[in-house]
């Protein structure tokens, strides 16, 4: 059974400050331990206030590498690009923000293979993986669809892959590149950042169901051995 610790907050500023503080702690620990840090950050609207607070921290940002947990297969600079949004916050601080989809492609599988090759050059395991979750229970871009089994059960050395959600999310009807389950669960620390009573219920049920969960988040987290922090606000 996955060990979960819930952290609950009364307002958005407290929520963002706490998430930023926890990410900062992990980065500082990695910098102290080996002189560099590699973290994966979720896209979506929920964690970005925390990222902006994190960027205010006095860290040796030049030694920090940031990758998105997932990316839409769109050109850099596109409004749907997660790495573009992350770069706007962290590149001015001197961090390395790694585009895992440097070029849009009609072949999402090829985009996934390219991203995986780029990921192989990073220090593994990740020092931290920050996950969000959709109301449908997807996390990163691990959705139900033709690539779900590969995302869950592919080779242990595979860090990332191309995915085609089915059904396609209305807010971004494009293919994706996502960290694999193995890439996520091998991380030294995992944090989940969500808001709203409905998402909390979805997450609690998925965790309780474990490996039998029909939802990606439940399957991803099933049997994770390290404790997972869930930051939640109404």
């Amino acid at each position: 059974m996955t060990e979960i610790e819930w952290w609950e907050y009364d307002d958005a500023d407290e929520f963002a400050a706490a998430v930023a503080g926890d990410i900062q702690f992990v980065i500082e620990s990695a910098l102290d331990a080996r002189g560099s840090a590699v973290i994966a950050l979720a896209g979506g609207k929920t964690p970005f206030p925390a990222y902006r607070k994190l960027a205010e921290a006095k860290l040796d940002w030049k030694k920090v590498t940031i990758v998105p947990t997932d990316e839409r297969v769109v050109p850099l600079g596109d409004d749907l690009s997660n790495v573009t949004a992350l770069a706007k916050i962290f590149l001015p601080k001197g961090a390395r923000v790694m585009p895992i989809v440097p070029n849009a492609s009609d072949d999402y599988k090829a985009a996934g293979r390219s991203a995986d090759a780029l990921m192989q050059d990073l220090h593994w395991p990740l020092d931290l993986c920050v996950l969000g979750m959709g109301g449908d229970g997807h996390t990163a871009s691990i959705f139900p669809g033709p690539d779900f089994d590969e995302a869950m059960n592919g080779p242990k050395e595979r860090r990332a892959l191309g995915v085609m959600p089915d059904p396609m999310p209305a807010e971004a009807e494009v293919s994706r590149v996502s960290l694999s389950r193995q890439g996520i669960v091998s991380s030294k620390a995992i944090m989940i950042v969500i808001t709203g009573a409905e998402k909390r219920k979805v997450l609690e049920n998925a965790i309780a169901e474990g490996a039998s969960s029909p939802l990606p988040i439940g399957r991803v987290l099933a049997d994770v051995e390290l404790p997972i922090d869930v930051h939640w606000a109404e």
Side-chain angles (χ1 to χ4, degrees), residues 6 18 38 175 215 220 226:
W6 287 83
V38 183
S175 58
L215 302 181
V220 167
L226 74 163

Side-chain angles (χ1 to χ4, degrees), residues 26 30 33-34 123-129 183-190 226-227:
V26 173
R34 68 168 196 282
H123 180 276
W124 287 84
L126 296 170
D127 295 297
L128 172 68
C129 184
I184 293 169
V185 303
S186 65
S187 303
K188 294 179 181 178
I190 298 173
L226 74 163

